[in-house]
């Protein structure tokens, strides 16, 4: 019963696609809640003018009938409105007619921090656009659509996932950076409530829930660090200050602290799952860094083009989607079921068996 996500799509191509396999049959999806998450991702202080062009909404091509999943692959599409301006430049087939619109000229001034240089070397490209289009964080719209579906599934077993930006000085930092034609990053936190003990496993590295959450967040554009619970701060503490004492009363086991962030030995322990991701400042700078031209090898300045000053608020929504999808994947492994009713019943039977009281 493996829940799997495959995505495709370029930033200025016709659309982004998400293929979700392994959902149970009978899950009722709500189009407006998926679109609401897509809207949340587009908002946020410091975003690029691109967001005034896009109005992301989900289209379903397969796997759903009358709002209920069929237990078959669910195919989601988010169209790129901006593709209209890139019809020639991003045409999937050799374009017909005279070059027009955006993307006509090759990108040859690689930006430090973006995929441009590594991409052209790795794939043997002459136009960095062939690399940057897929590396673009526009891809995260597909992730958020799939994450909204995962959240719907998790809700059926009492799990809620919520992302937020840490630090309240982001707007000031963005204003200052914009004034100096620079960019900023930041830190986001995702909390998952209602996760039962026992998701993930210590049996193999691949099954560890902490490893899986770290991988999915690190797999998101611009993320350079992930921590679970008190993470890096734990390294400087004594063992007696670092661990969460185990208490037991008539309702079950509980903890008074949650420094482990809800995961011990790669397994959820019933406490809130707390995970943070650090986002680097975005690499497209209006006052560019030094670079070298891909055609001539000459010293130059990196590409300057429309971009965001910050996308940290968007990352909070994306990270929420990533964590939700990974938890849903772990829950599908544990509770199985071809139908939603079977999945929910297996979860209920497990909760009744273990001495844990969801708070
Ligand atoms: C991005 C560059 C910008 C961002 C984009 C990510 O796009 P454009 O090149 O069209 O101005 O707006 O993010 C999105 C489009 C989005 O929806 O999040 C990049 O280079 O990664």
């Amino acid at each position: 019963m493996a829940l799997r996500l495959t995505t495709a799509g370029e930033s200025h191509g016709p659309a982004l696609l998400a293929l979700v396999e392994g959902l149970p049959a009978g899950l009722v999806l709500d189009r407006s809640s998926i679109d609401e998450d897509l809207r949340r991702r587009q908002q946020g202080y410091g975003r690029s003018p691109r967001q005034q062009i896009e109005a992301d909404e989900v289209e379903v091509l397969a796997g759903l009938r009358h709002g209920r999943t069929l237990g078959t692959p669910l195919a989601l599409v988010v169209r790129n409105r901006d593709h209209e301006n890139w019809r020639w430049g991003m045409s999937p087939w050799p374009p017909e007619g005279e070059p027009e619109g955006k993307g006509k000229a090759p990108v040859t001034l690689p930006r430090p921090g973006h995929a441009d240089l590594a991409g052209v070397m790795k794939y043997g490209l002459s136009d960095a656009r062939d690399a940057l289009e897929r590396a673009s964080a526009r891809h995260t719209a597909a992730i958020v659509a799939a994450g909204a579906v995962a959240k719907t599934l998790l809700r059926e077993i009492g799990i809620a996932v919520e992302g937020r930006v840490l630090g309240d000085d982001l707007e000031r930092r963005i204003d200052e950076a914009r004034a100096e034609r620079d960019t900023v990053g930041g830190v986001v936190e995702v909390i998952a409530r209602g996760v039962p003990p026992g998701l993930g496993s210590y049996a193999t590295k691949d099954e560890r829930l902490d490893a899986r959450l770290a991988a999915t967040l690190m797999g998101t554009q611009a993320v350079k660090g992930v921590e679970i619970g008190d993470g890096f701060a734990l390294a400087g503490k004594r063992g007696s200050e670092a661990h969460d004492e185990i208490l037991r009363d008539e309702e079950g086991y509980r903890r008074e602290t949650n420094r482990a962030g809800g995961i011990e030995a790669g397994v959820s322990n019933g406490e809130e799952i707390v995970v943070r991701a650090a986002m680097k400042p975005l690499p497209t700078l209006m006052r560019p860094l030094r670079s070298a031209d891909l055609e001539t090898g000459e010293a130059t300045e990196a590409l300057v083009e429309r971009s965001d000053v910050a996308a940290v608020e968007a990352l909070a929504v994306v990270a929420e989607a990533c964590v939700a999808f990974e938890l849903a994947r772990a829950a599908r492994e544990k509770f199985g079921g071809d139908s939603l009713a079977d999945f929910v019943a297996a979860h209920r039977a497990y909760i009744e068996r273990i001495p844990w009281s969801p708070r």
Side-chain angles (χ1 to χ4, degrees):
M1 213 54 61
L3 186 66
R4 276 197 297 264
L5 171 60
T6 306
T7 65
E10 279 72 42
S11 181
H12 305 100
L16 301 156
L17 285 83
L19 186 71
V20 182
E21 293 170 272
L23 288 167
L27 178 67
V28 175
L29 298 184
D30 172 22
R31 189 196 303 192
S32 62
S33 70
I34 302 175
D35 286 344
E36 170 59 15
D37 277 357
L38 290 172
R39 199 185 56 77
R40 285 171 65 216
R41 193 200 69 90
Q42 283 200 270
Q43 285 182 332
Y45 204 62
R47 302 268 8 229
S48 130
R50 170 80 185 270
Q51 300 311 325
Q52 281 142 36
I53 300 171
E54 304 298 343
D56 294 343
E57 53 184 23
V58 75
E59 230 176 279
V60 180
L61 295 191
L64 200 66
R65 181 162 182 250
H66 301 170
R68 279 174 196 273
T69 56
L70 297 171
T72 57
L74 179 73
L76 307 175
V77 173
V78 178
R79 306 242 171 228
N80 291 321
R81 286 194 177 190
D82 202 16
H83 179 62
E84 201 49 43
N85 304 312
W86 296 73
R87 268 195 182 282
W88 193 95
M90 287 301 294
S91 169
W93 295 107
E96 288 170 8
E98 288 305 302
E100 50 145 358
K102 296 189 170 185
K104 290 179 302 225
V107 175
T108 61
L109 308 176
R111 291 159 295 175
H114 216 295
D116 309 348
L117 183 58
V120 294
M121 289 190 194
K122 178 175 167 63
Y123 292 97
L125 311 171
S126 53
D127 181 355
R129 178 152 307 286
D130 287 348
L132 68 89
E133 280 287 331
R134 178 61 181 161
S136 163
R138 172 80 186 142
H139 167 246
T140 58
I143 303 289
V144 166
V149 174
K151 286 198 293 179
T152 308
L153 179 65
L154 290 174
R155 227 172 281 129
E156 296 286 342
I157 53 171
I159 298 175
V161 186
E162 209 179 321
R164 65 182 181 120
V165 175
L166 289 188
D168 49 21
D169 61 343
L170 192 63
E171 288 199 9
R172 182 186 55 76
R173 291 177 63 229
I174 292 172
D175 287 340
E176 285 172 5
R178 184 187 282 114
E180 289 163 33
R181 293 152 67 221
D182 218 326
T183 59
V184 289
V187 177
V188 304
E189 179 179 82
V190 181
I191 297 185
R193 300 182 173 86
V195 180
L199 293 194
S201 174
Y202 45 76
T204 63
K205 273 163 89 88
D206 292 355
E207 291 169 279
R208 291 183 68 108
L209 191 60
D210 43 9
R212 293 162 57 160
L213 293 175
T216 184
L217 291 172
M218 275 299 227
T220 302
Q221 283 82 352
V223 170
K224 289 302 247 185
V226 176
E227 68 175 4
I228 311 254
D230 286 0
F232 278 77
L234 288 174
K237 287 188 178 172
R238 295 265 181 94
S240 55
E241 308 161 329
H243 298 292
D244 306 304
E245 290 182 298
I246 296 170
L247 308 175
R248 172 87 201 246
D249 57 23
E250 60 286 349
E251 288 182 12
Y253 288 101
R254 62 186 176 81
R255 315 291 177 109
E256 280 179 346
T257 56
N258 185 22
R259 297 163 186 136
I263 303 178
E264 289 168 304
V267 184
S268 62
N269 67 7
E271 297 300 307
E272 287 178 357
I273 290 190
V274 183
V275 47
R276 293 184 204 96
M279 185 183 215
K280 70 182 180 183
L282 301 175
T284 308
L285 302 180
M286 296 304 134
R287 214 172 48 198
L289 295 175
R290 286 183 296 173
S291 185
D293 192 296
L294 292 173
E295 279 173 0
T296 64
E298 277 167 23
T300 178
E301 286 183 339
L303 178 73
V304 179
E305 62 172 23
R306 177 183 72 185
S307 189
D308 311 66
V309 179
V312 187
E313 288 185 57
L315 178 64
V317 181
V318 175
E320 175 184 299
C322 290
V323 169
F325 198 88
E326 207 48 50
L327 291 177
R329 209 157 74 83
R332 290 295 288 144
E333 282 161 20
K334 180 136 184 67
F335 304 120
D338 293 313
S339 72
L340 180 68
D342 290 349
F343 174 73
V344 170
H347 170 267
R348 192 179 312 117
Y350 173 71
I351 296 301
E352 281 166 11
R353 173 172 78 69
I354 58 171
W356 174 65
S357 155
R359 281 170 290 169

